Structure formats: structure tokens, C-alpha cells
Amino acid sequence: MGDDGYKTKLIETKKAWARAGRLLTGETAEHGVDRLPPGQRLVENWPVLDLGIQPDVPRAEWRLLVGGLVENERRFDWDSFIAEPQVDILSDVHCVTQWSRYDNRWTGMTTRHLAQLVRPHADARYVLFSSYDGYTTNVRIEDFLEEDCLLAHSHDGTPISREHGGPVRIVIPRYYFWKSPKWIKRITFSAEDEPGFWEERGYHNLGDPWLEQRYD
Ligand SMILES: Nc1nc2c(c(=O)[nH]1)N[C@H]1C(S)=C(S)[C@@H](COP(=O)(O)O)O[C@H]1N2
Ligand SMILES: [Mo]
């Protein structure tokens, strides 16, 4: 996919940062020791980052297809999604553009519950995401199945707004926030890894903020 129609200037700036290795402090922090990862600053507000497209997907029209290397492909609409067990999970957000936001309370279905429903094959090693704005990203299956990962529909007790990725977004707290796709449309379990939008544009394939894995 090209960058046509996206917020081209921002994308060019972020690609240039990746090339220059900007924002790397050279420090490392051990996960869980310091709460703020190296090179990050704490914010109280919640910045919006996207490609300049914020798809308007009403709950009634939202569909999510979960497939690929699974025993039971599933297609969710809002009612079937919300009928599954719901949990609240508190986590911190770390964006590669250097802001972090503590104590976000997300409500939704855990990725572990989803995996129980679809039953990924043993050779599924990666999880690939695609969204209603055309955004894509990728994680390893073991990271997707960490116990704090979920498909979230609410944040701090209110439905996730359109700008923040409602009706449903993925939350994968241990990585930079670009690994948490908004407006989720499709989840594919795969034997092969496939770099997503930012991974193809100079960003790290994993994106662990504690190791400052900002750029490739
Ligand atoms: N579908 C989609 N998901 C996305 C993005 C995007 O452009 N489209 N941007 C990513 C990036 S770079 C960040 S930092 C976070 C921003 O989420 P927020 O706008 O809710 O803060 O969403 C991530 N998920
Ligand atoms: Mo980001």
C-alpha cells in the first residue's frame, strides 16, 4: 500500500526519524523496574495518532474476521463480541513519539479468550492485524497471548471514541502503541511474519519500549 490519502507529512517525518535514529537515548531500563521506559515522558492527556483517516464504523456495522491458521474461523458482529466474557485490565501506554500514559483501564475480551474460541494451529507463530483505515501491524503469537492483551471497546469506563479506534481496538501493553491497532477489522494467525505499515517504514519489528526498540 502506498501513502496516498494518508497524512503524508507526518508519515514522512516519522520515516525520517527512523532513518536518523531520533529519540534514541542509548539508555536501557529493565522491564518493570522503572515505570517510565527510557526516553519517554509522562502525559496526562491522551494524544491521537493516526494516518489522517478516522473511519466511522458504527457498532451496528462493525465486523471482525478472525482467521488464518485456526481450527474455528470466527466472524464477530457487535452482539456476538459483547456476548463473550468481558474483563477490565489496567495498563500503561507508551507511544514511540515519546509520550506515555499511565493507568488506562481497558474493557473487552482477552486475546487468550479469543484464542480459546478460534484455536490457532501449532504452526501459527505470528498474528497479523488489519484495520478499517488500511493500517496493518504484526506481533508474535506469544506476545499476542500475554495475559494483559485484549480487544477493547471501552477506556476508563466509556466507549472508545472514533478517534481512538472505536468500536474495538487491540491493546498490547508491552510494546509501543503502534502495535495496538485501532478500528480492528481482521486478525490473521500465520506461520509467516509480515511487517505492517510502520514496520515497513523503518520501525522495529518488535517495538519493546524497555529496550528502546524504536527503529529497525
Ligand atoms: N488502525 C490504526 N491503528 C493505529 C494507528 C493507525 O494509524 N491506524 N496508529 C498507531 C499509532 S502510531 C499509535 S501511537 C496509536 C495511537 O492511538 P491513539 O490515537 O488512541 O493514542 O495507535 C496505533 N494504532
Ligand atoms: Mo505511535
Side-chain angles (χ1 to χ4, degrees), residues 14 49 95-97 99 177-178 198:
K14 287 177 84 174
L49 279 101
C95 174
V96 74
T97 60
W99 57 270
F177 211 27
W178 90 76
W198 287 119

Side-chain angles (χ1 to χ4, degrees), residues 14 26 58 78 84 93 112-113 119 174 206:
K14 287 177 84 174
W78 176 256
E84 298 295 336
V93 165
R112 288 187 180 182
H113 181 74
R119 287 188 277 125
R174 68 161 294 186
L206 295 179

Side-chain angles (χ1 to χ4, degrees), residues 56-64 76-79 132 166-168:
D56 183 11
V57 189
R59 282 180 171 178
E61 283 162 35
W62 175 76
R63 299 289 181 276
L64 169 64
F76 293 96
D77 60 11
W78 176 256
D79 290 340
Y132 280 92
V168 179

